[in-house]
Every structure is written in C-alpha cells, then in structure tokens.
Amino acid sequence: MDQSISWITVGSVEDIPRQGSRVVRTGFGDIALFRTVTDEVYALEDRCPHAGGPLSQGIVHGARVTCPLHSWVIDLASGEAVGPDEGCAGHCPVRVVDGAVQLGLAAFRPGRGGCGHG
Amino acid sequence: MSTHTNPPTKRERLVVVGNGMAGIRTLEELLAKAPDRYDITVFGAEPHPNYNRIMLSPVLAGEKTFEQIVLNGRDWYEANGINLLTGDRVEVIDRANRTVTAMSGLTVGYDKLLIATGSTPVIIPVPGSTLPGVVGFRDLADVDTMLEAAAKGGRAVVIGGGLLGLEAANGLTVKGMDVTVLHLMDTLMERQLDRSAGALLRHELERRGITVLTGADTAEIVGIEKVSGVRLKNGQELPADLVVMAVGIRPNMALGKAAGLACGRGIQVDDAMTTSDPAILSVGECVEHRGQTYGLVAPLFEMAKVAAARLAGGTEAAYTGSVTSTKLKVTGVDVFSAGDFTGGKDCEDIVFRDAARGVYKRVVVKENRILGAVLYGDTKDGGWYFQMLKDGTEVAPVRDTLIFGQSFGGEGAANPKAAVAALPDSAEICGCNGVCKGTIVTAITEKGLSNLDEVRAHTKASASCGSCTGQVEQLLALTLGDGYAGEAKAKPMCKCTDRTHDEVRRAITALELKTIPDVMQRLEWRTPDGCHHCRPALNYYLLCEWPGDYKDDSRSRYINERVHANIQKDGTYSVVPRMWGGLTSAKELRAIADVVDKFAIPTVKVTGGQRIDLFGVKKEDLLAVWADLNAAGMVSGHAYAKGLRTVKTCVGSEWCRFGTQDSTGLGVKLERMTWGTWTPHKVKLAVSGCPRNCAEATIKDLGVVCVDSGYELHVGGNGGMHVRACDLLVKVETEAEVLEYTGAYMQLYREEARYLERTAPWVERVGLEYVKRRLVDDAEGRAALNARFLFSQSFSQDDPWAERASGSVDRHEFAPLAQVG
C-alpha cells in the first residue's frame, strides 16, 4: 500500500519526548510530530484549525493534544477537533521503522478550519 | 488541697492518668458504649490536648503541623463533659482512699482508675548522656528541641537504627542537618527487617545523605557544657551538635509500682486489662500482658476496646494479645513487616525482587499459612498479607500468585462489591482508625446511617486518609440496598476522575503518592495519562507536597511554564526579565536595549507590574536572548508562571516626602524571598510606603501598606476581571514580621487552595476568619507554615533561564527536529 508514498526519515522516536512533540520544517509548513505515553507517533500540521495556534506546544494526553492558545482538543490520528468544536488540522502519513520516524510528505493533506477561519 | 466532690447525679468517678493515644482511645470507646456512666477526669503530663504520637515523624520532617496531628482538641473534652488537666503530672495513687494527687497538689477521688502512662525512651547509661543536646524521640517537646537544633544546621548523631531512630534521622536530614545513624547490630531495623530489606533500606538512606554506621557501640557522649560529639568503643569520634537517643522504649510503670500494683516489665494486667487492684485498669505501652509489652499503635487500640467494654460494665471482653505489623513513616521509603519472618525448618520462603523498581517482597509460609511478611518498596499488599496472617487463612488456593499481591489473582478483584461482601465481619476496613466491617454494618443498621459523612461521624471509618472510602460506600450499598442514594458528589477535578481537587490532594498526602502515574493508578483514573486539566494540577499538588523530592514533570506543564516565556497569538513569545521590587539600572536597561536590537524584537512595553516586556521573540531565539540577559545579571521574571510574578513598590521613605517606611527595600526583600515559588495560580505582591497607596497594594494577592507605626498586611485582592479589594489581615511592627507573615500566607495558599484558584476566591471560599485563625491567632502554626515555605523555596530558586541557556535542560524544546523538502 505504501508504494505510492516516498518516506523521508526525519529522526528517531527517542528524539521526541514522550507525551511531547517536535517540529519538522517542510515545504508544506511546520509539521508537528507527537509521541504519546504509549510511544505511538503521529504527525499533524503545526496549526490549530481554530486560530492557527502551534499544536506542537500543547499538552499531549492519550492520542490527543490540547492547543496552547484556546484549549481546543485535537485528535492526533485524524486531526479532527474533538466535539463540540469543528475543524481539522492538516495531517501527514507517518511510520516508525526500527525506531526511525518517517514522514510521507507527498501525501500531506491540508486541514480545514473551524470558527470561520476557512 | 482541694478534694473532688461527687455531683448530685451520683455517677461513678473515672480518673484517667495519661492523655495519650491509649487512654483517650479507651475513653472514645467508652463514651460510645456508656456515655453517661462516669464523671471523667483526665490528667496529662504534657501541656497539649490528645495528639497522634505516631505522626511525630512527619511533624519533624515538616510534612505535617502539630494541628494536623491533634486527635481530639479541647472542644472534644468539653463537649463530652471531661475535665481535662494538662501539664499536671499525677505523682501519687492512694489506693486505700481511692484518690490520686498531682504535681500541682490537686487531689481527685476515683471509683475506677485507668493508668495509661505510656513509655519513656531508654537512655543508655554512658557518660555524658545527661548533657544538654541529648534528646529522646517521644513527645512534642523532643520534636521541638530537634527542630530548634536543626534550624541552626550542623551535625546530628542518632543512636539506634530502629523504627524511631530512622524516622528521626530522616526528619533531621530533611531539615538540613548532617546526620549519622549509629546502630549496634549489622542490619537496620533488625527486629522488623531481614538482611535483604535492611540493605535496601540502608542504601536508600545513604542516597538521601544519611551516614549509617552498623556494629557501632557507643562508649561516651562527649561535651563540656553541651554535647559536642559521640565516641564509639572502637575509638572513633563523631562531632555532633545534637544526639538523639532512639534505642528503645521502656514501659512507664513508676506510678503503678509506687502504688504497690504488681509489676514486671510493665504494670501487669489480666485479659480484662485489670491490674492487681480490681478498681484499677491499665492500657497501652505501660502494661505487661501475658509477659509481653507493646510499642505499636494497633495493640493499644485493641487493649482500649477491651478496657472500655469492661469499664462500661461488660464482663465478656478479653484481650488475648496482638500480632503486630510495622510500617516505617519515612516519606518515599515503603517498608512493611509483620509476623515471624526468620524462616527456618518447615518454612517456605517466597521471594520476589524487582531491581528496577527497588522492590523486595518475602512471604514466609508454614503449613499453608502465612507466618510472616517483609515488603520493601511496594507495600500495598501489606494489609492483605497481614489479614491472612491474623486469620490463619489457607493460602494453598492462591499459593502460586501469592507473592504478586491481591490484585493479581486474588478472589473478587474484578468486582469490588462482591469482594467487600465476601469479607468477614472482623475484616478491618479502615486501617487508620481500626474499624472493621461488622462495626460499620452495625452502625449503619442500628443508627440508621445513610451516607458516608454519617458513617465517618459515627465510626471514624474513612475519616482519616480516605483510602477505604470506596469500601465504605460498598458497605452502605450492600447494607441499605436500594435505600442507599449514593453520595452527593462535589465537582470532580475533570472528566478523568470522580474525585474532587481536595480529595485528590488528601490522598496524595495520606497515601504518600509521589508521581503522576502513581496518583492515576491508585485513584483509578479513567484515562491512560489524564488530560490538560488534571495533569498540571497533579504536577502542582505533588510539587507542593514533596518539595525537593518530587521531580517536576515538564510534560504536564502548560507551554509557558515549560519554556519559561509567554506564548503570543502568532506563536512567538514574550520575555520579561526580573526587576527586583521594580528597580532597574542603566546596565540592565542597556542590556535590554542591546537584546532588542540584536534580535530585532518588535515591541517593548512597560507592564502593570513595573517590568519591561519584550514581545515577538521567536522560540529559537529564546536561549540566546536569555543568555544575553543573564550576562547582565538578570534572571527570569516568571511573568508566565502560576507562581510569584512581581512585587510592585512605590519609592517610600528613601525619596518620597510622605513615605513612612522603606517600601522599595521591603519590596526587594519580599521578592528575593518569594521568587521562583510555584503556587495554585499567579501571585502578585505590592508594598506602598504610605496610606496614599501608590503601589495599589490593596488589590493585590498580598499588599503591604506602610504606616508610621508599622505595616498593614492586606490579603485576597485582585485587580482583574472581578475587582476585589483586599481584606486587612493584621498590622505588624517590623519587617521581620512582614516577611514571616508573607511566607506563612504563601504556604497556606499553596497547601490549601485548589489549582487555578486565585487568592481572592480562595479567601472568599474559606473566609477571612479562617485565614486569621491560621496566621494571626496561631503564632506557632504561622512559624511552621513559614518554615515549610522557606524549605520549599530552597529547591525552587534556580534561574530557569540560566539552566536552559547553558544547554543543560530541555534542549529539545528550542530547536526543530529536522528540515526537509
């Protein structure tokens, strides 16, 4: 299934603090890599669909992150805002191979805003 | 000499000699059974009401205050019509005339006498043992002596590596003394621990900076006017400013002996707790029962129950001796032992070790029954093993998983209600107060109790640490069926738990929870790692409860506190250097100007708190900005913190023609004392030099207004969304008092306000009268609060900017992981 995607190694899982995030600068803008308490890794555009807050700076809990600006809660797997808020952060395929974190940047999908930010 | 006369009711007269845990527990039990039978007089040699002696160690370590360990305040004695005479030691019992006479000369007649004089520390008879600076560890006066010595720092030698000695050593270390423990045997706590557990314990104490010398036999305590050291039999000499004798206790039976009661190692009692004189009963550490003496709390309570039943007129109750268990009360060191664990013939040892967690467990089984248990590092199953040991439970059915504890495979683990239903009536539910299932169920049915608070009031179950609350609720549900409406719940902390902020905090203290995962595990969080509401709160509560011990969890901090700057709407940060009391200098201003130029910082603004705020700093520039500001002598202004923000001042008597005191200087002192602290929410202080109040001190969390005759302290103000003028707390005369009140107030707020609760709503919630009672009326409590504040500050005053600018902390926060595409 991955044949259409070219994977780029951006670092190792250990580089990302558990329950934390690191940023990768890309042509699509900043991508935030998240590592959960159970060591799953997710990648989202580093922009909250609400007001563009840097999600990488939020508190990671379960498979969610809370935006530091207005406390929107974003699901890490889908990028969707957790109800009642509506909106979706851009997201990017990511996989971990032998501890290396790889991004499928070509398959990046931009988000859609809530709260009239289009 | 005055003589007690009988009141018209002609009730019997009961005199209790000894106002300690055993005597008063007996009275509590007696009042529950026969509230009107006696006119009761209690003599106490100590000047205090009844307190929890086993909690003296946490008082020494600064983890609890004396008020927190009082079991029954004076109002309790009054409410029960008990005549309490403190600070008056009983010196003579006249059995022929049935009177006792105290030191003051007061003589009181009795029909029944209860002797509960406890024990005294053993002072080993070496030269120098009576020098000033040599203390036991037995009562509050000893603790006060130790705290006084510890306040001056220096060296302490603790003689005795048993339970008490180690608790004293830990407390003194926490208080900043350089401590050496001398122990005669090879293994610490050899009566309670085997060698493996003893070695783990020794290692942990050494890690905390305590020196442990085993096989150390004291020859002499050295000193001329006061203690200066201890010399061992091998010739080694240790300097010491304080020597604590904790080699053991001895039943305090002098009074009984002088009265001609039969005595051996203690005052001899039969199974009815009655001495050789049928009118005299005795309980507690002063007695010898079936050749045994006891120095732990559980047997005392069992004796108290029997004595109370007998005093109430019962003829059945009998005490048959106790099997005891031990727990070391040293924060962060979990040690439990019970029964006989020496092992030997026909005994089987089941051992479990987990080096990574520092866990050692050993259960000794003989003929399919538990004979003893030693647990180190993980003691949560201690109660389970102990119950099976006391009951003589067959362990064959769970033999294979026994060592892993109750939750591994034990019956009923999956269904708490069924588990509680399956317990026998004699099973202990509340370990703190020794209340068993049958007592609770009986109280529920006979007294018509319908909720938790009523059960607490009538039985004391769940009234201390609260860890059995769930079980008590199950008992209510089981006993009342549909008649139990459940508990009206206060608002829980967040969706991850049903518990309130206050409940979580109490549990952290009582269960000695030390990490966020521990709290979530023990309090049964519904989420794997909490949420953005509970994690920062838990991080704060743990930091406040265990200063110096708890490791801050940066992942549970809001971004501003994690990177020590304020995030702005565009994702850049603002930076505010500290300006003590609002003072700055040409050098600082020049450095700030240079930083603004060098990093092209777009906006510079003066804040409401008399600081300079640099807006629009890019995250990756933060470290370099801080390094430059540090180089000019500036540190973080904590403008981002739930902590001390600023101390705003006016110029005061140094320049102002109206100034009455040096308000700027005092502001600087206050800021130097309080900076770096973490609090439930932000805290702003101010000092005005005269009642014109140019520093707007009366809308601050704490504001000082200087007047000719001293300083007015105002608290609980807020200039934010809901403006609230301060309340006047107190007026004091000296700067030193201002500092002490400030430290105490900060600590009271830190310990008791809920996370994200500013002082204004907090003061409104608890009431100004409460704050006054704790800070103004109670000088001792105030000093203790201030001491705890200063202790906690000793761990918090490192500049977070310097730590990060040097590259040693959280480097990953400030740089992208990679650049691609």
Side-chain angles (χ1 to χ4, degrees):
Chain A
M1 66 171 258
D2 295 336
Q3 278 154 359
S4 59
I5 298 179
S6 65
W7 294 97
I8 306 165
T9 298
V10 293
S12 78
V13 176
E14 296 303 316
D15 293 332
I16 312 169
R18 192 172 282 148
Q19 296 177 304
S21 174
R22 294 293 297 274
V23 169
V24 177
R25 302 223 190 285
T26 77
F28 299 98
D30 286 356
I31 300 289
L33 291 175
F34 298 92
R35 178 180 173 192
T36 68
V37 73
T38 48
D39 289 341
E40 295 151 71
V41 173
Y42 297 98
L44 294 180
E45 182 183 13
D46 195 15
R47 262 183 71 79
C48 180
H50 168 222
L55 296 175
S56 59
Q57 314 295 294
I59 289 178
V60 178
H61 47 101
R64 291 172 173 183
V65 63
T66 300
C67 176
L69 291 195
H70 309 94
S71 294
W72 274 39
V73 178
I74 308 295
D75 181 80
L76 293 177
S78 63
E80 293 282 351
V82 175
D85 298 322
E86 280 183 34
C88 185
H91 56 284
C92 181
V94 61
R95 66 179 190 183
V96 177
V97 180
D98 295 335
V101 180
Q102 301 182 329
L103 281 178
L105 264 184
F108 172 78
R109 247 185 299 158
R112 57 189 160 73
C115 279
H117 282 262
Chain B
M1 260 190 211
S2 60
T3 302
H4 191 88
T5 50
N6 283 353
T9 51
K10 292 273 185 199
R11 293 198 292 193
E12 290 178 84
R13 298 161 304 169
L14 171 64
V15 171
V16 181
V17 182
N19 187 30
M21 299 182 75
I24 300 309
R25 176 53 75 109
T26 309
L27 286 188
E28 288 178 345
E29 299 271 355
L30 174 62
L31 290 168
K33 288 182 207 302
D36 301 319
R37 185 170 176 131
Y38 292 99
D39 283 318
I40 302 171
T41 302
V42 175
F43 283 93
E46 287 187 70
H48 316 284
N50 174 237
Y51 63 88
N52 189 343
R53 198 180 297 278
I54 57 176
M55 297 307 270
L56 283 175
S57 298
V59 172
L60 176 62
E63 292 160 3
K64 288 209 182 310
T65 61
F66 177 66
E67 296 77 60
Q68 288 172 319
I69 69 164
V70 169
L71 291 170
N72 292 298
R74 289 180 191 275
D75 48 345
W76 177 83
Y77 293 86
E78 261 170 49
N80 286 292
I82 297 170
N83 183 22
L84 172 66
L85 303 161
T86 53
D88 202 4
R89 182 189 303 277
V90 170
E91 303 211 307
V92 179
I93 300 172
D94 178 349
R95 286 168 53 201
N97 292 308
R98 295 204 172 172
T99 61
V100 299
T101 301
M103 205 166 54
S104 63
L106 180 68
T107 296
V108 177
Y110 65 82
D111 298 300
K112 290 279 185 194
L113 179 66
L114 178 67
I115 304 179
T117 44
S119 61
T120 41
V122 173
I123 300 291
I124 49 173
V126 293
S129 64
T130 55
L131 281 169
V134 181
V135 292
F137 184 17
R138 191 62 200 150
D139 58 25
L140 192 64
D142 294 332
V143 171
D144 285 341
T145 309
M146 286 192 248
L147 286 176
E148 230 169 80
K152 294 182 213 134
R155 293 161 194 275
V157 169
V158 176
I159 304 179
L163 207 57
L164 268 185
L166 296 183
E167 291 181 7
N170 180 65
L172 292 170
T173 306
V174 168
K175 288 291 172 190
M177 290 193 91
D178 190 349
V179 179
T180 302
V181 174
L182 306 181
H183 192 53
L184 191 57
M185 303 298 177
D186 291 338
T187 301
L188 291 175
M189 288 177 66
E190 79 285 347
R191 285 169 59 196
Q192 291 91 14
L193 298 183
D194 61 13
R195 291 185 81 94
S196 298
L200 283 167
L201 177 60
R202 178 179 184 152
H203 179 74
E204 171 60 25
L205 295 173
E206 288 172 343
R207 197 188 62 77
R208 291 174 180 225
I210 298 172
T211 306
V212 178
L213 299 180
T214 47
D217 200 355
T218 305
E220 183 185 355
I221 296 173
V222 190
I224 298 172
E225 279 178 1
K226 67 180 287 293
V227 160
S228 65
V230 174
R231 200 166 47 74
L232 303 182
K233 289 205 171 140
N234 67 10
Q236 191 181 356
E237 198 163 322
L238 303 152
D241 307 297
L242 174 75
V243 172
V244 180
M245 285 262 193
V247 290
I249 53 171
R250 179 175 289 145
N252 193 358
M253 59 178 175
L255 190 64
K257 203 167 188 177
L261 297 176
C263 290
R265 288 196 290 150
I267 300 172
Q268 286 169 339
V269 292
D270 59 15
D271 287 0
M273 304 313 296
T274 305
T275 66
S276 55
D277 178 340
I280 304 180
L281 285 75
S282 185
V283 289
E285 292 177 347
C286 58
V287 309
E288 177 190 320
H289 171 264
R290 297 191 184 181
Q292 288 284 325
T293 60
Y294 293 96
L296 295 166
V297 71
L300 309 194
F301 287 178
E302 290 168 23
M303 292 179 197
K305 233 173 219 165
V306 174
R310 293 288 182 155
L311 284 169
T315 53
E316 298 284 310
Y319 176 69
T320 55
S322 299
V323 186
T324 56
S325 67
T326 317
K327 192 172 177 294
L328 182 69
K329 285 172 297 300
V330 168
T331 297
V333 185
D334 294 325
V335 178
F336 173 91
S337 81
D340 177 5
F341 46 83
T342 44
K345 197 168 170 295
D346 302 329
C347 289
E348 187 187 0
D349 272 346
I350 311 174
V351 175
F352 170 84
R353 288 172 198 274
D354 181 341
R357 286 195 300 138
V359 171
Y360 169 82
K361 301 197 221 178
R362 177 156 158 256
V363 176
V364 181
V365 175
K366 188 175 182 179
E367 288 161 6
N368 260 324
R369 287 180 170 78
I370 295 180
L371 200 60
V374 183
L375 309 177
Y376 184 93
D378 176 358
T379 56
K380 67 176 183 298
D381 289 307
W384 187 56
Y385 294 131
F386 187 48
Q387 188 73 44
M388 290 195 286
L389 187 156
K390 283 199 290 188
D391 296 348
T393 309
E394 278 256 6
V395 294
V398 292
R399 164 70 183 76
D400 289 347
T401 57
L402 184 65
I403 198 73
F404 302 119
Q406 186 171 20
S407 57
F408 188 84
E411 73 284 6
N415 181 347
K417 195 167 172 181
V420 173
L423 291 173
D425 278 355
S426 61
E428 190 173 80
I429 300 288
C430 173
C432 296
N433 294 301
V435 190
C436 60
K437 177 181 164 184
T439 310
I440 299 170
V441 172
T442 310
I444 293 171
T445 44
E446 289 185 356
K447 304 225 164 83
L449 312 183
S450 64
N451 63 49
L452 193 57
D453 276 344
E454 290 176 2
V455 174
R456 284 178 181 152
H458 281 91
T459 68
K460 290 204 166 177
S462 154
S464 295
C465 84
S467 59
C468 62
T469 301
Q471 286 174 297
V472 174
E473 287 178 0
Q474 299 292 1
L475 283 177
L476 278 160
L478 282 166
T479 313
L480 300 175
D482 291 342
Y484 178 52
E487 298 299 318
K489 290 283 182 199
K491 202 165 169 281
M493 204 162 159
C494 65
K495 286 178 182 165
C496 304
T497 177
D498 292 328
R499 298 185 192 237
T500 64
H501 281 267
D502 296 348
E503 286 169 345
V504 170
R505 250 190 142 167
R506 274 203 299 276
I508 286 173
T509 313
L511 303 176
E512 301 191 351
L513 304 179
K514 293 292 184 68
T515 65
I516 290 175
D518 275 355
V519 175
M520 292 179 175
Q521 183 66 30
R522 287 296 294 273
L523 304 185
E524 295 164 345
W525 243 241
R526 284 192 290 264
T527 49
D529 60 341
C531 70
H532 63 274
H533 295 294
C534 58
R535 284 234 307 273
L538 293 179
N539 190 53
Y540 168 72
Y541 292 150
L542 290 164
L543 198 64
C544 180
E545 182 68 30
W546 313 115
D549 205 358
Y550 175 67
K551 189 178 173 304
D552 191 85
D553 177 30
S554 69
R555 309 315 319 174
S556 296
R557 287 215 180 250
Y558 182 63
I559 182 67
N560 288 359
E561 294 186 346
R562 192 167 357 120
V563 301
H564 295 272
N566 293 56
I567 196 165
Q568 301 300 322
K569 61 185 282 188
D570 64 351
T572 64
Y573 288 82
S574 83
V575 167
V576 180
R578 192 165 287 288
M579 290 176 176
W580 307 96
L583 289 174
T584 185
S585 65
K587 182 187 171 201
E588 288 182 353
L589 292 172
R590 209 168 275 126
I592 290 171
D594 288 343
V595 161
V596 170
D597 285 344
K598 182 169 165 189
F599 297 95
I601 292 170
T603 301
V604 181
K605 173 157 190 340
V606 174
T607 73
Q610 302 183 331
R611 304 298 140 98
I612 289 178
D613 201 344
L614 312 177
F615 284 93
V617 181
K618 294 192 223 37
K619 195 181 185 190
E620 53 268 33
D621 286 342
L622 283 173
L623 296 183
V625 167
W626 294 340
D628 284 5
L629 294 172
N630 279 158
M634 280 175 278
V635 297
S636 167
H638 289 85
Y640 46 82
K642 311 273 182 269
L644 187 275
R645 292 283 177 92
T646 54
V647 181
K648 185 173 179 174
T649 68
C650 69
V651 289
S653 58
E654 194 186 355
W655 295 96
C656 177
R657 65 202 162 102
F658 299 116
T660 62
Q661 310 280 356
D662 177 16
S663 50
T664 323
L666 178 56
V668 172
K669 282 180 198 157
L670 283 171
E671 191 158 347
R672 292 268 178 204
M673 177 174 98
T674 54
W675 77 279
T677 183
W678 297 107
T679 43
H681 208 310
K682 60 186 170 185
V683 172
K684 299 176 179 182
L685 271 51
V687 187
S688 282
C690 79
R692 287 168 191 77
N693 193 9
C694 294
E696 298 160 348
T698 49
I699 50 161
K700 293 289 182 274
D701 294 283
L702 182 140
V704 182
V705 176
C706 302
V707 292
D708 275 329
S709 53
Y711 307 85
E712 291 172 4
L713 299 187
H714 300 262
V715 297
N718 194 331
M721 196 151 31
H722 303 286
V723 179
R724 181 179 194 274
C726 287
D727 296 309
L728 176 63
L729 177 70
V730 67
K731 196 182 144 199
V732 297
E733 287 176 7
T734 64
E735 282 196 347
E737 289 170 284
V738 174
L739 294 175
E740 189 195 54
Y741 267 99
T742 302
Y745 172 72
M746 294 286 285
Q747 189 65 13
L748 188 65
Y749 172 57
R750 296 181 78 233
E751 290 178 3
E752 299 191 2
R754 295 164 190 159
Y755 190 66
L756 296 187
E757 184 175 43
R758 287 288 298 271
T759 61
W762 170 64
V763 167
E764 288 199 348
R765 177 166 65 83
V766 302
L768 179 67
E769 285 316 305
Y770 172 77
V771 180
K772 279 187 174 170
R773 201 158 66 237
R774 294 291 304 272
L775 299 182
V776 183
D777 304 346
D778 178 3
E780 234 173 81
R782 178 173 72 239
L785 278 165
N786 182 45
R788 288 205 293 284
F789 180 71
L790 297 179
F791 174 68
S792 136
Q793 283 297 80
S794 68
F795 302 101
S796 69
Q797 294 195 324
D798 293 313
D799 177 29
W801 288 359
E803 287 174 347
R804 283 159 185 76
S806 68
S808 57
V809 178
D810 286 351
R811 218 187 164 80
H812 59 80
E813 287 287 355
F814 303 96
L817 176 64
Q819 173 116 30
V820 295

